Amino acid sequence: MPNEALRHLPLTYQVKVLGCRVNHAEVREISTLLESRGMMPVSAPKTPDLTVVHTCSVTSAAAAKSRNAIRRARKASPTHADGFPDVLVTGCYTGTDPQRAVELAGGQDRVIPHRHADGTGMIQRLEKTVDSWLDIRAVADQPATQQSIPKTSIHQLPVLLPNQPARHSRAEVRIQDGCDACCTFCILPRVRGKVRSKDVKDVVKEAERLVDLGHKEIVLSGIFLGAYGHTTALRRKQVNGHARPLADLLDAVASVNGLLRVRLSSLEPGDLSQELLDAMIAHQDVVAAHLHLPLQSGSDRILSRMNRQYRRAEYLEAVAMATEQLQTIDGLPPAITTDIICGFPGETEQDFEETCQVVETARFLHMHVFPYSARPGTASARWTSEHLDQQLVRQRVRQLIDRETDPNDGLSIRYRQRLLNKRVRIIVEEQTTGGVAGRCDHYVKIQLASSAARGTLLEARVTDVHQHETLATEITPSYKLPVLTS
């Protein structure tokens, strides 16, 4: 007698995701595969037939969250007696701590890393696992409807997208994967493997499909976005121009009919070539006036030890180029956000002070500030004699966070005050008690009184800036916002 919990059709699934924008883009690919097999997504509190936990391990805190997510999924899932897994574990944690991932998941067949010895990737291996699971299910339950679902190869799916209408205005598209830059603190080259990129035409098809489903903003994401179109992230070895492939892709995606905004997820300063800036300027009515440029440290000595491909002066030059050339309507400068690691092995007070100086010069809108996290298998994890006292590291993290969030003179409020009385464009992301909220082209979240639906593009004038919120009033467009040139 087959397990009664398995009788209902169609089969259902949930995907639990942790981590970066690339992980979120991969979740859509996972969902597409599952739905191509006739499975349907369900939300809590319903219990799915299959849960996929898509993990992250970029820091020790992310790895701990991934372990907890696997435990929770195993505890919440039904107990199946006929041999197929109820929880599958994918993502970066499976590569950084594979033995522990197998223990938590309950078996090797439940763990699907990014790279395999036979050269197949995560999605291709997931395809084989899910098809085997469905075959076991067919034998256990003999469901005629399930057996009749064609198991189209993932390589034959024209665009990796599910069919459900968009639940969010923004969607991530993974255009690039892998890295060989080998920063001394980063485990991702070992986990993600070699650099590879999607074809321009496939990215455009994916963008068109996302717009058809109701997404209005697309974030182009990658593990090393500037390596798009190249076979390496090492710029000294790149042979076809600095950022021409990425500039060409941005030009193609920005031309997709119905797309209201496109944003680049993250770039190193060396990726911000004149060609890429020209593409951003040419499509300034669609390309967001926002750049995320990870700094990590403002000390040349620490940047060298991190094996970063830039130094302090190059970073500040990239910020200056962007600020000068990406001026938008009413002369607003682009928003710059960043990542900073505090307490890298050997970081002195002078090194940290140099980071603070760059922070003040760059005038970031927002900073993701992290305490250094030693990842087993990386070079810096072996420098144990130079690891800093954790209390000191936390103090440095707190100092930078306070520099951003100070209610009177913090970086955030100083940048947002430059929006006062200025005209901005907002894509509605959510309903609020007093109206709606959404991010403007400059990545500032703005609230205003309106009844507009999610995904609507509004024009508004910023009226108030407070410590935790920015307010605006909707205005009727009297003209189309011009595309400005440098």
Side-chain angles (χ1 to χ4, degrees):
M1 187 75 174
N3 189 327
E4 290 300 323
L6 306 180
R7 280 191 170 280
H8 62 282
L9 291 174
L11 298 174
T12 58
Y13 76 90
Q14 287 180 10
V15 182
K16 309 290 186 182
V17 59
L18 300 93
C20 66
R21 291 189 183 277
V22 174
N23 265 21
H24 283 265
E26 286 171 336
V27 163
R28 194 172 58 252
E29 299 178 4
I30 292 169
S31 298
T32 300
L33 171 61
L34 298 178
E35 290 174 28
S36 75
R37 269 54 178 172
M39 301 183 71
M40 296 295 294
V42 294
S43 302
K46 293 182 179 179
T47 300
D49 293 292
L50 177 67
T51 300
V52 179
V53 183
H54 196 44
T55 59
C56 175
S57 62
V58 69
T59 64
S60 56
K65 290 179 181 179
S66 294
R67 289 191 291 271
N68 288 335
I70 298 168
R71 292 188 190 99
R72 289 194 299 270
R74 290 287 308 282
K75 184 177 181 180
S77 295
T79 301
H80 297 326
D82 34 11
F84 63 85
D86 49 359
V87 173
L88 296 176
V89 180
T90 59
C92 291
Y93 182 70
T94 66
T96 56
D97 197 353
Q99 183 175 346
R100 185 63 175 141
V102 169
E103 293 172 0
L104 290 169
Q108 184 67 56
D109 61 333
R110 302 177 180 218
V111 176
I112 304 171
H114 282 288
R115 296 192 297 166
H116 295 269
D118 62 2
T120 57
M122 180 189 70
I123 295 295
Q124 286 72 34
R125 184 55 63 96
L126 179 64
E127 175 185 26
K128 295 179 181 178
T129 301
V130 169
D131 286 347
S132 296
W133 178 59
L134 292 174
D135 289 340
I136 294 172
R137 173 60 190 264
V139 172
D141 256 3
Q142 296 298 317
T145 54
Q146 194 69 40
Q147 287 178 316
S148 66
I149 294 171
K151 296 176 182 177
T152 305
S153 168
I154 202 72
H155 297 291
Q156 296 173 314
L157 295 174
V159 180
L160 288 172
L161 293 173
N163 294 318
Q164 283 75 31
R167 294 188 293 270
H168 304 283
S169 60
R170 185 184 304 116
E172 293 84 9
V173 174
R174 179 174 64 117
I175 67 170
Q176 181 275 336
D177 204 346
C179 182
D180 60 350
C182 294
C183 296
T184 56
F185 57 83
C186 185
I187 196 66
L188 291 184
R190 196 181 85 181
V191 174
R192 289 275 181 172
K194 65 182 181 180
V195 172
R196 58 235 186 248
S197 304
K198 285 184 181 176
D199 208 58
V200 172
K201 65 178 184 301
D202 291 333
V203 176
V204 170
K205 286 181 181 177
E206 193 167 341
E208 290 171 341
R209 179 65 175 143
L210 284 165
V211 172
D212 289 343
L213 291 171
H215 296 283
K216 302 301 183 183
E217 177 178 347
I218 287 174
V219 182
L220 300 178
S221 304
I223 296 301
F224 196 112
L225 201 67
Y228 177 80
H230 300 278
T231 58
T232 176
L234 300 172
R235 291 187 193 87
R236 69 180 185 275
K237 294 184 177 181
Q238 293 175 354
V239 295
N240 54 341
H242 271 309
R244 186 71 260 166
L246 186 57
D248 290 343
L249 177 71
L250 183 63
D251 180 73
V253 173
S255 301
V256 169
N257 188 39
L259 180 63
L260 298 181
R261 182 184 294 155
V262 61
R263 189 187 306 276
L264 298 169
S265 64
S266 181
L267 293 169
E268 287 198 359
D271 303 326
L272 196 63
S273 70
Q274 189 59 56
E275 293 169 323
L276 184 59
L277 284 169
D278 288 344
M280 297 179 73
I281 293 167
H283 297 281
Q284 203 164 7
D285 56 335
V286 177
V287 177
H290 165 236
L291 288 168
H292 187 76
L293 301 174
L295 172 64
Q296 308 304 3
S297 174
S299 161
D300 282 349
R301 189 180 75 87
I302 295 298
L303 288 172
S304 177
R305 300 198 77 201
M306 289 179 167
N307 199 32
R308 302 292 283 176
Q309 298 185 77
Y310 56 89
R311 296 296 179 262
R312 170 192 180 117
E314 294 168 283
Y315 187 92
L316 290 174
E317 182 181 355
V319 171
M321 283 178 60
T323 301
E324 177 185 357
Q325 296 191 38
L326 298 180
Q327 298 284 330
T328 56
I329 190 70
D330 288 339
L332 287 173
I336 309 292
T337 56
T338 197
D339 300 329
I340 296 175
I341 297 173
C342 287
F344 188 79
E347 182 186 71
T348 65
E349 283 294 337
Q350 178 61 35
D351 295 324
F352 179 66
E353 176 58 31
E354 290 175 7
T355 297
C356 294
Q357 292 170 2
V358 173
V359 164
E360 191 62 33
T361 302
R363 303 177 71 177
F364 299 116
L365 166 65
H366 175 62
M367 301 180 291
H368 294 282
V369 184
F370 305 92
Y372 168 75
S373 177
R375 309 307 297 133
T378 62
S380 61
R382 299 192 295 269
W383 304 339
T384 53
S385 64
E386 299 180 80
H387 288 187
L388 274 62
D389 176 76
Q390 287 304 297
Q391 182 176 355
L392 174 62
V393 175
R394 287 193 292 270
Q395 289 174 355
R396 291 178 179 176
V397 169
R398 186 72 259 169
Q399 184 175 336
L400 284 179
I401 291 175
D402 289 345
R403 192 71 201 91
E404 176 189 327
T405 60
D406 183 284
N408 298 314
D409 193 38
L411 295 171
S412 172
I413 200 165
R414 278 163 54 184
Y415 181 87
R416 289 182 292 121
Q417 283 174 340
R418 302 177 77 171
L419 303 181
L420 274 172
N421 300 315
K422 299 296 176 63
R423 195 181 186 102
V424 295
R425 302 183 306 173
I426 302 162
I427 295 179
V428 175
E429 298 177 4
E430 59 182 337
Q431 306 294 320
T432 65
T433 302
V436 298
R439 293 194 185 274
C440 68
D441 290 338
H442 298 74
Y443 202 62
V444 173
K445 190 169 186 178
I446 294 178
Q447 302 179 52
L448 66 161
S450 175
S451 58
R454 176 186 50 77
T456 303
L457 179 67
L458 300 179
E459 292 188 23
R461 193 171 300 280
V462 177
T463 57
D464 295 281
V465 173
H466 305 292
Q467 180 182 6
H468 299 298
E469 61 182 6
T470 305
L471 307 179
T473 300
E474 186 177 359
I475 56 179
T476 302
S478 59
Y479 60 92
K480 179 178 174 60
L481 292 180
V483 178
L484 304 182
T485 58
S486 60

